[in-house]
């Protein structure tokens, strides 16, 4: 029995085996995966990842698809992106280092960030990074100096905040005038940024950029941002007598995390809405991250305790928590989970799935109907775990971070190994 992909599962996810059934991912049962690799563990469906890359590439054959590396990045993923014909967005020197380690041509890397250090920019210039997205007047001056010292002309895009509400959580909304990112269009700062870049001989204005937020499930905000950015591009060209060849309208397309969540538009629908507003001669770029990585991965946990509190409810504790998925604690991200290691005929009973950390807020899933006979040793599977979870994972309480296992056609391999206590101790003097 296949699980419903609209509920955030990769296409290979299926329930097999009848009464002694289990969830299978990439053709491998979760009991086997847990026995070999331990828990917690992120199980990434390689074919699902590549299929989602292909959907974006097919939706925009005449433009550029830049994978948002902050969603999840490791050298093997960089190699997948390269093979799929995608470019890569990075926003720190560390992400740039991973891109280089994975073999990505720096000319296909776009470097973001609202506070890039001089050292990060110097390295980007030296490596030949294809484009730097400038985010402040200070950065324009800093990058101009570094490009002059290197004797090159650095291609840049100007990040513009178009004053568009993305109707998402305030922590992941980035397009409003009060955003820490970019130059405000409404306040006239974006127009001044264009003037300063054009006045800098060591910089080449390759395009304009905007990004309105994350986990967006309707086209309205995308379309409005595209119209405002297109109008600003045309106004800038008329004012300065130049041609601005590219408009990067960012990413932010949401995914389904649990049953009942709104199903977002497809990549083709997003691109069509953007294309309607963008002049045909302008090269369009997009930056999907979550919509590629998110549904590819299932997090597996082992149940350690089940605690019933009269008048309160049931707590099901697992061997991970906010160190491998801080998103519920940070901004209320909602997930679902299933008992994945066995079938159960028991009626559902509402439970709260909690982690092992010394925080009352260490909650992974609230108000979740689980089989009433859930017990220690059961494996819980949490879909839609591919974006931001491993990227944001920490060593809180000195817990080691889980591995990432790629599955495909009945085989599994480690692409990010599990941390050990030796890894933690190695940092101390």
């Amino acid at each position: 029995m296949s699980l419903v992909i609209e509920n955030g599962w990769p296409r290979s996810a299926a329930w097999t085996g009848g009464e002694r059934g289990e969830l299978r991912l990439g053709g491998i049962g979760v009991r086997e995966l847990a026995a070999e690799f331990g828990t917690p563990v992120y199980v990434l469906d390689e074919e699902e990842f590549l299929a989602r890359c292909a959907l974006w590439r097919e939706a925009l054959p005449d433009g550029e698809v830049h994978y948002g590396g902050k969603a999840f990045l490791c050298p093997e993923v960089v190699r997948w992106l390269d093979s799929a014909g995608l470019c890569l967005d990075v926003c720190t020197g560390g992400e740039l280092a991973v891109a280089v380690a994975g073999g990505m041509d720096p000319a296909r890397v776009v470097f973001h960030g609202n506070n890039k250090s001089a050292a990060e920019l110097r390295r980007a210039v030296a490596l030949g990074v294809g484009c730097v997205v400038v985010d402040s007047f200070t950065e324009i001056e800093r990058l101009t100096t570094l490009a002059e010292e290197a004797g090159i002309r650095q291609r840049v895009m100007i990040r513009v905040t178009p004053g568009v509400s993305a109707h998402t959580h305030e922590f992941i909304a980035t397009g409003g005038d009060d955003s820490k990112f970019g130059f405000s269009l409404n306040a006239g700062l974006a127009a001044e940024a264009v003037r300063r870049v054009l006045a800098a001989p060591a910089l080449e204005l390759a395009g304009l950029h905007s990004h309105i937020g994350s986990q967006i499930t309707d086209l309205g905000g995308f379309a409005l941002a595209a119209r405002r950015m297109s109008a600003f591009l045309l106004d800038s060209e008329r004012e300065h007598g130049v041609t601005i060849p590219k408009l990067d309208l960012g990413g932010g397309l949401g995914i389904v995390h649990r049953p009942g969540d709104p199903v977002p538009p497809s990549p083709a629908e997003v691109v069509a809405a953007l294309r309607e507003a963008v002049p045909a001669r302008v090269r369009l770029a997009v930056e999907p991250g979550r919509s590629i990585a998110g549904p590819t991965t299932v997090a597996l946990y082992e149940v350690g305790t089940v605690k019933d509190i009269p008048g309160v409810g049931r707590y099901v504790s697992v061997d991970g928590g906010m160190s491998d998925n801080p998103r519920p604690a940070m901004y209320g991200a909602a997930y679902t989970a299933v008992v994945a290691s066995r079938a159960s005929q028991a009626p559902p009973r509402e439970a709260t799935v909690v982690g092992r950390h010394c925080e009352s807020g260490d909650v992974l899933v609230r108000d979740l109907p689980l089989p009433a006979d859930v017990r220690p040793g059961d494996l819980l599977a949490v879909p839609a775990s591919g974006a931001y979870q491993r990227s944001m994972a920490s060593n809180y309480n000195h817990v080691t971070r889980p591995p990432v296992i790629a599955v495909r056609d009945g085989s599994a391999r480690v692409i990010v190994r599990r941390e050990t206590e030796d890894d933690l101790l190695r940092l101390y003097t």
Side-chain angles (χ1 to χ4, degrees):
M1 179 181 69
S2 293
L3 293 163
V4 181
I5 187 169
E6 284 79 5
N7 288 347
W9 298 90
R11 271 162 273 210
S12 72
W15 186 267
T16 60
E19 290 185 2
R20 219 179 113 36
E22 66 176 331
L23 176 66
R24 297 178 73 82
L25 300 166
I28 309 174
V30 294
R31 292 194 294 262
E32 179 182 341
L33 289 167
E36 182 173 357
F37 301 107
T39 57
V41 59
Y42 306 104
V43 183
L44 192 165
D45 186 320
E46 180 179 348
E47 284 192 328
E48 180 74 27
F49 191 99
L50 290 170
R52 288 179 171 273
C53 289
L55 285 175
W56 280 102
R57 187 67 273 172
E58 291 162 6
L60 192 57
D62 57 344
E64 298 174 15
V65 180
H66 306 160
Y67 172 73
K70 66 179 183 176
F72 171 64
L73 198 63
C74 69
E76 182 65 4
V77 162
V78 173
R79 289 186 278 272
W80 294 349
L81 297 169
D82 208 11
S83 70
L86 271 62
C87 301
L88 176 61
D89 287 342
V90 301
C91 59
T92 66
E95 289 182 354
L96 178 58
V98 175
V100 172
M104 179 69 74
D105 180 354
R108 292 171 56 203
V109 173
V110 176
F111 197 177
H112 284 271
N114 69 300
N115 186 24
K116 309 176 198 69
S117 70
E120 287 175 319
L121 289 171
R122 185 176 292 109
R123 187 181 186 199
V125 168
L127 286 172
V129 160
C131 191
V132 175
V133 181
V134 292
D135 199 274
S136 67
F137 295 125
T138 299
E139 186 169 280
I140 291 173
E141 295 174 7
R142 186 178 293 158
L143 187 58
T144 298
T145 299
L146 293 169
E148 288 172 347
E149 290 174 354
I152 68 159
R153 195 159 184 241
Q154 176 63 54
R155 289 165 54 85
V156 302
M157 286 190 287
I158 294 170
R159 178 154 183 173
V160 178
T161 49
V164 174
S165 172
H167 302 294
T168 188
H169 193 284
E170 62 177 319
F171 289 2
I172 52 178
T174 60
D177 289 325
D178 59 349
S179 173
K180 75 172 185 177
F181 298 102
F183 299 91
S184 169
L185 179 60
N186 295 332
L189 300 178
E192 176 61 21
V194 170
R195 287 190 282 272
R196 293 196 192 187
V197 167
L198 291 175
L203 303 182
E204 176 187 345
L205 181 56
L208 302 176
H209 173 278
S210 73
H211 178 71
I212 61 173
S214 295
Q215 189 52 20
I216 302 166
T217 56
D218 67 80
L219 293 173
F222 288 131
L224 178 58
R227 290 194 295 271
R228 290 188 180 178
M229 290 298 295
S230 295
F232 176 59
L233 182 145
L234 295 173
D235 287 346
S236 298
E237 289 183 332
R238 283 191 291 268
E239 178 182 347
H240 299 287
V242 299
T243 297
I244 301 175
K246 183 164 66 175
L247 187 54
D248 185 336
L249 291 170
L253 180 62
I255 62 172
V256 171
H257 284 91
R258 57 182 182 168
D261 283 354
V263 177
S266 69
E269 290 169 328
V270 173
V271 170
L274 299 179
R275 267 281 170 229
E276 238 180 68
V278 176
R281 63 170 176 79
V282 175
R283 188 167 178 82
L284 178 61
V286 292
E287 300 175 352
R290 181 199 310 262
S291 63
I292 292 176
T296 67
T297 300
V298 175
L300 288 182
Y301 302 93
E302 182 176 321
V303 175
T305 65
V306 178
K307 183 183 294 185
D308 293 316
I309 304 177
V312 175
R314 167 170 283 190
Y315 288 109
V316 175
S317 298
V318 297
D319 54 356
M322 63 191 301
S323 62
D324 57 79
N325 186 5
R327 300 182 65 250
M330 286 181 65
Y331 39 77
Y335 289 81
T336 190
V338 299
V339 174
S341 52
R342 63 181 177 90
S344 173
Q345 303 304 314
R349 178 174 174 182
E350 196 169 273
T352 297
V353 179
V354 297
R356 61 176 301 187
H357 298 283
C358 294
E359 297 284 344
S360 296
D362 181 21
V363 175
L364 290 175
V365 189
R366 295 184 184 276
D367 305 324
L368 177 69
L370 286 174
D373 64 351
V374 63
R375 55 184 180 254
D378 282 341
L379 298 177
L380 291 191
V382 179
S385 292
Y388 302 105
Q389 288 182 214
R390 183 57 175 79
S391 294
M392 298 172 77
S394 74
N395 296 123
Y396 183 49
N397 290 155
H398 282 70
V399 170
T400 57
R401 288 179 289 182
V404 182
I405 309 302
V407 294
R408 182 173 186 170
D409 298 329
S411 65
R413 59 196 173 94
V414 177
I415 60 172
V416 180
R417 69 168 175 82
R418 184 182 299 279
E419 281 185 330
T420 66
E421 290 180 359
D422 285 344
D423 292 324
L424 298 181
L425 295 173
R426 196 171 292 125
L427 299 175
Y428 300 129
T429 59

